[in-house]
Amino acid sequence: MAKIICITCPKGCHLTVDEVTYEITGNNCPRGAVYGKNELTAPTRVITSTVAVSGGEICRCPVRTESPVPKGKMFDVMEAIHAVRIVSPVRIGDVVIENVCGTGVNVIATRNI
Amino acid sequence: MREVIVIGGGPAGLAAAISARDNGATDVLVIERDTCVGGILNQCIHNGFGLHRFKEELSGPEYASRFAENLDNIEVLTDTMVLEVTADRIVRAVSRDHGYMELQAKAIVLAMGCRERTRGAISIPGDRPAGVYTAGAAQRYLNIEGYMVGKNAVILGSGDIGLIMARRMTLEGAKVHACVELMPYSGGLTRNIVQCLNDFDIPLYLSHTITDIRGKNRVEGVTIAKVGPDRKPIAGTEFDIECDTVLLSVGLIPENELTRGAGIPIDRRTNGAYVYENMETLCEGIFACGNVVHVHDLVDYVSAESERAGKAAAIYASGNKASGRVIEVEAGNGVSYTVPQKIRPENCDKKVDMFFRVRNVYQNVRLVVRDGDRVVASFNREHCAPGEMEHIVVPVALMGNAEKLTVSVEEVK
């Protein structure tokens, strides 16, 4: 039995996960069950950072992965984000990096600049 | 004469202004001291905002934009500093574009937010080198200005901003050596301990504190010691960590200079104004919402609370004053404060949202609202912690003729 804390929402449910059957107790919602299994089999995280932007009123544009990426690729994704330079205007949701590090996930802008 | 003036254009102010407009106020003015609205959300580039409200995980700027793009028919004065608010609802402000202004409002919403406690507030001994920042200041440098504040950091305090910055600094290539917390439990959300510290193997030292900061020009290292139940360092438990940066995440203080200046009574427990069920302060026609009232964990709750304040301000501005008898709400055993502190049942719409924090970490308890010995409402909780604000909804019908309600933590028998 693995004891983990669900990070899907701020409630932070204390989950108990069976390592063989992935049966989960302690979750208050179905998302906890999905998280509990994923966390043991293939943990993922949303990565947020900033990229350099020129021509705007500020010099950094906040970005995030559109959906969670494999936890093991966090630092590869960060390197890819560091390499990017963009130019204003940028709108929320604009794709900054397509299919980052082969994860199938886009990195998108999260501020209008 | 302005109908509703909202002071502060952060998450609280924007939600209040939009709600005031949507509830019939035609002349709403938001005054913001920064050059753009959104407040602290603009530097909170991490995700996790809006889960309750939008059922999506947004970053801070995205969450702010949902409100900033819904400001039709609301006037916003940015780069404008409010100097004074009076009890008869005059707002004195100054800006480069408009000079000195004196504005009379029918209703005012105070939404100034909070600021961070600093090294001076907690008196850490040692040298005074460069490299000691509040976590929020470091967050602004990193996320908005694009400067890394250091390469080797120790974080004092386990508030959410400190935890978030531990992850940000690590992802950006710094080494975060430790997060040090005076209390035996974390001050932040559990999920942030998991995804910001555990994910990166950053040790969390509970019941420890920094007893010395060394360095001539730049921070060179800190001494950490274990503390006893009295929160005093225990001699002989000290150890050193070499670092060039100390980040402080040691609490937030509601920014109530304007509130005090208007003579509005402040609750010493929250450091915010006493409020009624509709977020009206004890000064008629002046409302308050968000972190200026009490420090929240989640912006979603700030928005909801601010919408109630904005709606109430619009109703007041239209000439309908709240009235009726007042029930006092008291913080009982295990509860450090409640918001609201006062309830006018005749002014409520069937139920009242009550927010509070517990004093300790509890497992399997009941949160009980009592009128003397009578149980008005009771809520079971598997887990409560001071770092996680509690929210209960109490139907007004159950309050009966109560003059005083007590909210407390009780053991489940």
Side-chain angles (χ1 to χ4, degrees):
Chain A
M1 288 290 179
K3 284 190 176 300
I4 57 173
I5 291 163
C6 182
I7 61 168
T8 311
C9 84
K11 207 167 186 176
C13 292
H14 294 242
L15 310 179
T16 308
V17 190
D18 187 308
E19 280 117 328
V20 183
T21 62
Y22 299 116
E23 196 180 314
I24 288 160
T25 50
N27 56 315
N28 283 306
C29 81
R31 287 180 304 178
V34 176
Y35 173 81
K37 185 179 177 190
N38 284 349
E39 190 63 12
L40 261 66
T41 52
T44 58
R45 297 287 185 267
V46 170
I47 303 292
T48 64
S49 184
T50 62
V51 299
V53 55
S54 55
E57 67 275 18
I58 54 172
C59 60
R60 305 296 302 185
C61 177
V63 297
R64 66 173 168 93
T65 56
E66 214 164 359
S67 55
V69 295
K71 199 173 151 186
K73 290 210 169 176
M74 283 196 292
F75 285 94
D76 299 336
V77 171
M78 284 301 293
E79 258 183 50
I81 288 173
H82 281 155
V84 173
R85 303 280 180 277
I86 59 173
V87 180
S88 169
V90 187
R91 301 291 300 172
I92 290 176
D94 283 0
V95 175
V96 173
I97 306 173
E98 246 175 82
N99 183 16
V100 65
C101 302
T103 55
V105 175
N106 295 334
V107 173
I108 57 168
T110 69
R111 183 170 178 176
N112 299 327
I113 293 171
Chain B
M1 173 82 89
R2 291 283 186 157
E3 224 172 325
V4 177
I5 295 181
V6 179
I7 300 172
L14 294 182
I18 290 168
S19 167
R21 177 200 65 197
D22 293 348
N23 284 284
T26 52
D27 175 26
V28 180
L29 171 68
V30 177
I31 305 179
E32 165 59 42
R33 68 181 169 193
D34 205 342
T35 51
C36 60
V37 295
I40 214 70
L41 283 172
N42 289 327
Q43 69 182 56
C44 298
I45 64 159
H46 53 280
N47 68 316
F49 299 91
L51 261 167
H52 286 272
R53 194 184 178 84
F54 299 116
K55 309 291 172 216
E56 278 182 74
E57 281 214 48
L58 304 171
S59 71
E62 285 173 290
Y63 187 92
S65 80
R66 300 272 168 118
F67 294 84
E69 286 171 6
N70 183 16
L71 296 177
D72 293 346
N73 301 320
I74 295 171
E75 189 183 345
V76 181
L77 277 178
T78 53
D79 220 355
T80 303
M81 187 73 191
V82 173
L83 305 171
E84 190 182 23
V85 173
T86 68
D88 48 5
R89 299 187 292 282
I90 294 169
V91 175
R92 301 195 169 96
V94 65
S95 83
R96 193 178 295 200
D97 289 345
H98 299 90
Y100 177 76
M101 288 169 274
E102 208 168 82
L103 306 162
Q104 172 75 55
K106 286 185 186 165
I108 290 176
V109 180
L110 303 172
M112 294 87 75
C114 59
R115 62 167 171 259
E116 295 179 282
R117 292 174 78 198
T118 60
R119 181 176 181 182
I122 55 165
S123 311
I124 310 171
D127 302 332
R128 291 286 183 272
V132 182
Y133 301 90
T134 60
Q139 188 180 45
R140 189 187 161 90
Y141 277 125
L142 182 53
N143 294 348
I144 297 201
E145 320 282 347
Y147 295 112
M148 272 292 270
V149 294
K151 295 193 177 93
N152 286 285
V154 169
I155 296 175
L156 177 63
S158 59
D160 286 313
I161 316 168
L163 299 175
I164 294 288
M165 280 308 290
R167 175 176 62 182
R168 273 297 286 146
M169 297 276 290
T170 307
L171 283 173
E172 293 294 345
K175 170 84 184 156
V176 177
H177 295 271
C179 180
V180 182
E181 169 61 53
L182 181 70
M183 304 302 286
Y185 48 82
S186 159
L189 297 172
T190 319
R191 74 191 299 236
N192 284 336
I193 303 283
V194 175
Q195 63 186 358
C196 298
L197 297 185
N198 300 355
D199 269 8
F200 303 100
D201 301 318
I202 300 168
L204 171 62
Y205 293 98
L206 296 173
S207 297
H208 280 73
T209 193
I210 293 180
T211 56
D212 190 22
I213 296 177
R214 289 181 308 282
K216 188 166 187 318
N217 296 314
R218 179 78 192 191
V219 172
E220 289 160 17
V222 296
T223 302
I224 295 168
K226 199 172 174 21
V227 298
D230 58 357
R231 297 181 215 164
K232 298 260 162 49
I234 301 170
T237 61
E238 298 90 350
F239 61 97
D240 290 352
I241 294 181
E242 274 184 40
C243 61
D244 57 27
T245 304
V246 178
L247 298 189
L248 305 176
S249 176
V250 291
L252 300 166
I253 308 166
E255 199 157 341
N256 271 304
E257 283 70 20
L258 294 176
T259 320
R260 287 199 180 84
I264 297 169
I266 303 272
D267 187 338
R268 284 186 55 186
R269 299 164 304 175
T270 54
N271 284 316
Y274 285 97
V275 288
Y276 290 105
E277 72 294 326
N278 63 351
M279 305 311 292
E280 188 168 18
T281 67
L282 301 194
C283 187
E284 193 189 295
I286 302 185
F287 302 79
C289 55
N291 281 357
V292 79
V293 176
H294 58 136
V295 176
H296 296 63
D297 315 321
L298 300 182
V299 70
D300 303 61
Y301 288 147
V302 169
S303 302
E305 178 179 291
S306 305
E307 282 169 346
R308 287 189 286 123
K311 179 181 179 185
I315 291 171
Y316 183 88
S318 72
N320 294 303
K321 294 182 182 182
S323 59
R325 68 187 193 91
V326 177
I327 302 176
E328 302 286 334
V329 185
E330 277 201 351
N333 182 44
V335 173
S336 51
Y337 72 83
T338 66
V339 166
Q341 293 91 340
K342 293 165 191 290
I343 296 170
R344 293 170 294 203
E346 289 160 42
N347 197 39
C348 298
D349 185 23
K350 290 190 184 127
K351 50 194 198 311
V352 176
D353 288 81
M354 293 170 76
F355 297 90
F356 55 93
R357 283 181 194 276
V358 296
R359 288 189 182 279
N360 219 319
V361 178
Y362 299 99
Q363 313 287 346
N364 296 316
V365 287
R366 271 188 319 186
L367 306 173
V368 185
V369 182
R370 285 177 185 274
D371 164 21
D373 288 335
R374 180 175 72 91
V375 173
V376 173
S378 164
F379 306 83
N380 289 327
R381 289 286 188 276
E382 271 177 34
H383 179 85
C384 310
E388 303 185 1
M389 193 167 76
E390 292 296 335
H391 171 216
I392 58 176
V393 182
V394 183
V396 175
L398 297 179
M399 294 179 189
N401 295 318
E403 289 174 0
K404 191 177 85 180
L405 295 175
T406 310
V407 184
S408 50
V409 180
E410 296 183 11
E411 275 180 42
V412 177
K413 289 184 192 96

